[in-house]
Amino acid sequence: MEARKSNELSCWAYKIRRTVLETIYTAKSGHIGGSMSIAEILAVLYFDRMKIEPQNPELKERDRLVLSKGHCSPALYAALALKGFFPMEHLKTFRDIDSDLSGHVEIHVPGVDMSAGSLGQGLSVALGMAMFAKTNHYDNRVFAILGDGEIQEGQVWEAAMAAGFYKADNLTAFVDNNNIQLDGYLDEVMSPYPIGEKFRAFGWNVIEVDGHDVVQIDSAVELAASIKGKPTVIVCKTVKGKGVSVFENQVKFHGGQPTALEWEIAFAEIDSKIAEMGA
Ligand SMILES: Cc1ncc(C[n+]2csc(CCOP(=O)(O)OP(=O)(O)O)c2C)c(N)n1
């Protein structure tokens, strides 16, 4: 990938982060850590790889994304608003009682393909979408983003087994491996490691990448599309709270809210990163 394009995609990732901060700051609630860790994955999907039309969100042959870690709605809503699915201004209503932008992703929001929030269910739904597309000879792709804590749920492995068995090669799952779940580090609570080997055992093609490197993610998505007879999982090594020094790797910023000083640091750090990238 040309340097110009990778800089552009990284920049979209930081604009997603900036928007996540604004959204959660305004609502005074929302999941910061896990939203910040998937910014590059969303930037690559929405600003390079996915076949979508913001003016026509219901396009039949569009690619689908299931954000199975549905509590990270601020990141998906940010990507969708930046892409033009709905006005940026609408993000100010996040978590308002009468807003469609609820704390966990909602299918009624333009561009959202599946509601989620009860962890563990998204891969099954994404597989259903992928099987439907295959059966009807559509050539669209289906993506799912799973949390690494989420994959402690048994249903994930039932879906993984079925996807391998049914050779769902139009399905690509991402595991956001930030190594932190709700209340601690994965290896201390209940280790799902080694993640790649478990998917491989169920017949998946496995790619491991730095989840903050847009070039690696982009190449993995391209490679996944060329693999026949197997679904692909892209295990993304990420940092929870990525981009803000005081949020990174902090269990408390799973859903906890920053102090006024921490907010100040957060906006300053993200803004200087965006300025450095020349946007
Ligand atoms: C079935 C279910 N159990 C519990 C929860 C509460 N919950 C919300 S987020 C979360 C932790 C998820 O960890 P992970 O998948 O690693 O997400 P990330 O760290 O990326 O935010 C939990 C337990 C839930 N949403 N659904």
Side-chain angles (χ1 to χ4, degrees):
M1 184 190 293
E2 293 167 30
R4 189 192 50 80
K5 186 171 169 191
S6 77
N7 187 64
E8 198 181 295
L9 288 177
S10 297
C11 207
W12 279 119
Y14 274 85
K15 285 181 180 163
I16 290 172
R17 290 196 173 94
R18 177 54 152 105
T19 309
V20 164
L21 293 184
E22 287 164 19
T23 304
I24 296 179
Y25 179 81
T26 307
K28 298 187 177 60
S29 77
H31 293 81
I32 296 178
S35 292
M36 300 295 261
S37 61
I38 56 171
E40 278 80 10
I41 299 171
L42 291 171
V44 166
L45 289 177
Y46 282 92
F47 293 92
D48 194 30
R49 289 284 164 194
M50 278 177 78
K51 183 172 64 183
I52 41 169
E53 287 180 11
Q55 304 317 316
N56 186 8
E58 299 295 320
L59 179 76
K60 211 163 146 192
E61 318 83 58
R62 72 188 186 279
D63 289 346
R64 266 63 171 186
L65 172 84
V66 177
L67 181 63
S68 191
K69 40 173 268 175
H71 57 286
C72 297
S73 58
L76 180 57
Y77 293 159
L80 293 173
L82 288 164
K83 188 74 186 173
F85 278 90
F86 54 83
M88 294 291 288
E89 192 65 15
H90 190 45
L91 293 169
K92 290 188 178 147
T93 68
F94 177 62
R95 286 199 160 198
D96 283 355
I97 190 77
D98 50 1
S99 173
D100 55 346
L101 300 182
S102 52
H104 293 73
V105 282
E106 266 283 346
I107 199 166
H108 306 295
V109 177
V112 174
D113 292 311
M114 186 60 206
S115 302
S118 184
L119 294 167
Q121 302 175 355
L123 191 60
S124 305
V125 177
L127 173 60
M129 291 174 176
M131 294 305 293
F132 176 85
K134 264 184 146 344
T135 311
N136 288 283
H137 308 290
Y138 296 154
D139 72 346
N140 62 310
R141 301 198 58 78
V142 182
F143 300 96
I145 303 178
L146 283 70
D148 53 4
E150 178 183 12
I151 65 171
Q152 292 166 344
E153 290 281 352
Q155 185 177 339
V156 172
W157 300 105
E158 181 182 351
M161 191 192 311
F165 181 79
Y166 289 110
K167 304 185 181 1
D169 50 15
N170 53 346
L171 172 65
T172 300
F174 295 86
V175 176
D176 175 20
N177 186 200
N178 59 32
N179 197 37
I180 297 180
Q181 53 189 100
L182 185 147
D183 54 356
Y185 294 92
L186 253 66
D187 16 28
E188 289 166 10
V189 180
M190 188 169 77
S191 171
Y193 299 118
I195 297 171
E197 282 179 40
K198 291 190 172 72
F199 276 94
R200 200 172 280 120
F202 284 122
W204 288 59
N205 173 48
V206 178
I207 307 174
E208 314 222 353
V209 301
D210 172 344
H212 300 306
D213 182 327
V214 289
V215 179
Q216 286 188 31
I217 300 169
D218 203 74
S219 312
V221 173
E222 186 177 27
L223 179 62
S226 72
I227 301 287
K228 298 297 166 212
K230 287 174 175 209
T232 290
V233 61
I234 305 175
V235 182
C236 299
K237 191 87 213 90
T238 58
V239 174
K240 201 157 175 172
K242 173 72 180 175
V244 174
S245 57
V246 290
F247 297 168
E248 288 189 359
N249 265 316
Q250 298 295 315
V251 174
K252 66 180 171 184
F253 290 122
H254 170 75
Q257 295 306 296
T259 62
L261 177 61
E262 286 164 340
W263 274 122
E264 215 176 289
I265 295 169
F267 281 111
E269 288 185 2
I270 297 293
D271 284 346
S272 84
K273 189 78 187 178
I274 292 174
E276 192 185 293
M277 289 171 167

